[in-house]
């Protein structure tokens, strides 16, 4: 059976395909897949899912390898083998507030979809905060008075700026990661070795 690779849909998927093409793999079936969530090429099977689901498919052995952001690994801590960083998907995790915001004397309210990362960050600072979980557009929380600040991914900072927010502190940088199912690394070692080696050699050249 062909090795199965789970890809994070969206921007990371696009960046991976450019990276994959640079390794001389055929990406045409992946680019022209339409709405398909499962695609087979001459050498691999691919499935397309949201980041947290990619780790689940890999953890349960449905996919042998996965391409996922380092933020997902830090937040959910799945039982997978973190093989290596990849030379794309670079982002930072940051605390942001409205411009000119003064932190309250009482417990801060922080909105984020990354509640685990947020909790760990403030715990390491010795601060107790109230964390409000949101699934998207966390920039709204300070604007509407739901929270004093946010913890979120920053790539270019444009979204923050357009919504009147500024970065107070960056505390975690990461890139895309290649993860693997622990059993697959043993059982399918011969099939997976060439692509893992190609990833490693390309990453070392960057």
């Amino acid at each position: 059976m062909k090795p199965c690779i789970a890809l994070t849909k969206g921007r990371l998927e696009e960046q991976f395909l450019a990276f994959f093409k640079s390794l001389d793999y055929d990406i045409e079936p992946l680019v022209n897949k339409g709405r398909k969530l499962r695609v087979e090429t001459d050498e691999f099977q691919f499935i397309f899912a949201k980041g947290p689901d990619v780790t689940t498919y890999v953890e349960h052995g449905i996919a042998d390898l996965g391409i996922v952001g380092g933020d997902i690994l830090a937040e959910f801590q799945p039982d997978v083998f973190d093989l290596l960083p990849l030379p794309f998907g670079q982002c930072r995790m940051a605390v942001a507030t409205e411009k000119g915001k003064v932190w309250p004397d009482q417990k801060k309210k922080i909105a984020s979809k990354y509640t685990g990362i947020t909790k760990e960050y403030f715990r390491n600072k010795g601060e107790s905060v109230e964390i409000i979980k949101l699934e998207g557009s966390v920039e709204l929380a300070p604007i509407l008075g739901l929270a004093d600040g946010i913890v979120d991914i920053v790539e270019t900072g444009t979204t923050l700026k357009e919504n009147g927010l500024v970065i107070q502190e960056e505390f975690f940088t990461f890139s895309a990661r290649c993860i693997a199912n622990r059993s697959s690394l043993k059982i399918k070692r011969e099939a997976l070795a060439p692509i893992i080696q190609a990833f490693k050699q390309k990453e070392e050249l960057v």
Side-chain angles (χ1 to χ4, degrees):
M1 185 179 290
K2 298 175 183 177
C4 181
I5 303 174
L7 300 181
T8 300
K9 293 191 295 183
R11 185 176 296 177
L12 212 58
E13 172 190 342
E14 295 171 1
Q15 293 173 335
F16 171 79
L17 293 184
F19 172 71
F20 202 53
K21 184 178 181 180
S22 74
L23 299 174
D24 294 326
Y25 286 105
D26 178 21
I27 68 167
E28 186 175 350
L30 306 174
V31 173
N32 300 311
K33 66 181 175 61
R35 294 183 179 275
K36 292 180 181 177
L37 298 175
R38 185 177 181 182
V39 176
E40 191 168 319
T41 67
D42 290 340
E43 297 179 75
F44 305 100
Q45 299 177 68
F46 290 88
I47 57 176
F48 301 84
K50 289 187 175 182
D53 294 341
V54 166
T55 65
T56 300
Y57 285 122
V58 173
E59 184 172 339
H60 289 270
I62 303 301
D64 304 304
L65 300 178
I67 307 301
V68 71
D71 57 312
I72 300 297
L73 298 186
E75 177 67 21
F76 296 99
Q77 300 184 7
D79 184 18
V80 296
F81 194 89
D82 184 5
L83 274 176
L84 72 154
L86 296 170
F88 57 88
Q90 286 82 5
C91 288
R92 303 106 69 200
M93 196 71 69
V95 179
T97 64
E98 287 186 283
K99 192 171 183 179
K101 171 73 177 181
V102 177
W103 289 114
D105 294 331
Q106 67 270 25
K107 184 184 285 189
K108 299 172 185 174
K109 292 182 179 179
I110 305 294
S112 182
K113 67 182 290 187
Y114 299 97
T115 56
I117 291 173
T118 302
K119 183 177 180 180
E120 182 70 13
Y121 168 71
F122 282 102
R123 182 167 57 202
N124 288 338
K125 291 188 70 175
E127 293 185 41
S128 176
V129 298
E130 179 183 345
I131 300 173
I132 301 169
K133 183 173 177 59
L134 292 176
E135 288 300 331
S137 300
V138 292
E139 297 85 5
L140 271 175
I143 296 170
L144 299 179
L146 178 65
D148 300 303
I150 65 171
V151 167
D152 200 20
I153 286 177
V154 177
E155 189 169 7
T156 64
T158 302
T159 304
L160 292 178
K161 187 179 297 183
E162 289 181 352
N163 287 282
L165 303 183
V166 294
I167 294 173
Q168 295 288 345
E169 187 172 356
E170 296 177 5
F171 62 91
F172 174 38
T173 59
F174 57 90
S175 68
R177 310 286 305 189
C178 178
I179 60 175
N181 174 268
R182 296 183 183 279
S183 296
S184 293
L185 282 179
K186 299 176 183 177
I187 299 171
K188 299 183 180 180
R189 180 165 48 183
E190 288 187 15
L192 295 176
I195 187 170
I196 292 173
Q197 189 59 34
F199 286 176
K200 285 181 178 179
Q201 289 177 345
K202 187 70 174 182
E203 198 273 334
E204 288 169 358
L205 291 174
V206 176

